[in-house]
Amino acid sequence: MRIPVIAGNWKMHKTVKEALSFLSTLRSGSLPGNVETVICAPYPALPALVEAAEETGIGIGAQNLHWAEEGAYTGEVSARMLTDIGVRYTIIGHSERRAYFAETDESVNRKGKTALKHGLVPILCVGESLEERESGKTKHVVREQILRALDGFGSEEVKRLIVAYEPVWAIGTGRASTAEDAGEVIGFVRRTIADLYDQQVAAEVRILYGGSVKPDNIGSFLAEADIDGALVGGASLDPESFRQLVAAAASGREKG
Ligand SMILES: O=C[C@H](O)COP(=O)(O)O
């Protein structure tokens, strides 16, 4: 059975103080235990969040990492620096990094390998632009992103991955995909993984939807057989809204 995942991506929001205040509010209520709950925060907040999240069951993640072990890469952060402070997840290939920071499928692939080597769980983001969608290329684009990102990955590595399907046009726009469309693309991603590996591997990989997920629409996404949770931007910034997202995932049915 696949455990559902709710991952918040705070993007470039929250100082250390604001991050700790969020966690303190979140901790003041109960969080269900049968959901893998993750917060991907800006680097400066990570050490304090890891410490504050101890014994809460909440995993802390980065939003990016560098693929090299170490070296002359000004401004970058390595996998070892993240694991050293207790970070357990990292987003790779978010569309904002692809669009604004020249992230390529090749760098995403290298980052994924480095993350796995160091025991981090990569949250691999894929998704098509509006233009690609309107020209009927969604599945082609997503398949290519998956093939290139997973190039050279073994079955055991892929099982540890979390994939997030995030159509670029749905991110931060308030215009979410329909649950049916998202379910169809995510089913296609699972079949692509089954073709590349096998059914068992595909059945174990958690695949999330991301793009304008809110407490009032998450239920429809979670009702889709292949959708295992959500990667959430805006609605993860408020502790009450984030709690509602986690609660919705906890009340869903088991999948896989
Ligand atoms: O990583 C999260 C996504 O970019 C979704 O952001 P959003 O929920 O603000 O649309």
Side-chain angles (χ1 to χ4, degrees):
M1 287 295 162
R2 300 189 297 270
I3 297 170
V5 180
I6 296 295
N9 174 12
W10 283 355
K11 307 192 179 183
M12 200 170 73
H13 294 283
K14 296 196 191 293
T15 61
V16 175
K17 195 172 165 195
E18 289 161 351
L20 289 177
S21 160
F22 173 100
L23 208 66
S24 149
T25 308
L26 196 65
R27 288 185 70 157
S28 65
S30 63
L31 268 186
N34 55 342
V35 177
E36 203 166 309
T37 304
V38 182
I39 294 171
C40 297
Y43 291 134
L46 292 175
L49 274 177
V50 167
E51 197 182 329
E54 255 175 47
E55 293 170 29
T56 62
I58 299 169
I60 302 300
Q63 298 171 12
N64 183 37
L65 82 170
H66 197 274
W67 43 262
E69 292 297 321
E70 62 183 357
Y73 298 104
T74 302
E76 294 292 320
V77 169
S78 73
R80 203 160 63 89
M81 293 170 187
L82 295 174
T83 55
D84 181 51
I85 57 166
V87 167
R88 289 168 37 210
Y89 300 80
T90 181
I91 296 173
I92 55 171
H94 191 281
S95 63
E96 286 151 15
R97 293 214 58 87
R98 294 178 191 255
Y100 308 139
F101 302 100
E103 190 87 273
T104 63
D105 288 328
E106 193 203 352
S107 61
V108 172
N109 174 262
R110 295 173 89 168
K111 289 177 179 192
K113 282 182 182 151
T114 301
L116 286 163
K117 180 180 162 200
H118 286 268
L120 289 161
V121 175
I123 303 175
L124 164 66
C125 299
V126 296
E128 82 287 2
S129 66
L130 185 58
E131 193 188 348
E132 288 163 341
R133 182 175 191 89
E134 287 177 342
S135 52
K137 292 188 186 141
T138 296
K139 287 183 180 168
H140 172 76
V141 167
V142 168
R143 182 178 160 80
E144 286 299 306
Q145 289 173 336
I146 292 284
L147 293 183
R148 291 182 185 155
L150 301 189
D151 185 33
F153 283 41
S155 300
E156 292 310 311
E157 292 174 316
V158 173
K159 284 183 194 170
R160 286 166 45 210
L161 265 186
I162 296 173
V163 178
Y165 165 59
E166 298 204 316
V168 176
W169 48 269
I171 294 175
T173 58
R175 182 187 161 197
S177 167
T178 65
E180 294 72 23
D181 284 354
E184 187 181 328
V185 179
I186 287 175
F188 171 77
V189 170
R190 202 176 295 287
R191 290 195 298 281
T192 301
I193 293 172
D195 290 346
L196 286 173
Y197 298 90
D198 58 39
Q199 291 289 352
Q200 195 220 335
V201 173
E204 286 191 33
V205 178
R206 271 87 57 81
I207 312 181
L208 317 181
Y209 167 74
S212 297
V213 172
K214 310 275 180 245
D216 63 6
N217 66 11
I218 191 167
S220 64
F221 293 106
L222 294 169
E224 294 290 319
D226 277 306
I227 301 184
D228 300 312
L231 179 60
V232 187
S236 73
L237 293 170
D238 172 70
E240 194 41 48
S241 150
F242 189 66
R243 183 199 312 286
Q244 287 173 28
L245 294 167
V246 176
S251 62
R253 62 197 162 90
E254 292 192 327
K255 295 173 188 172

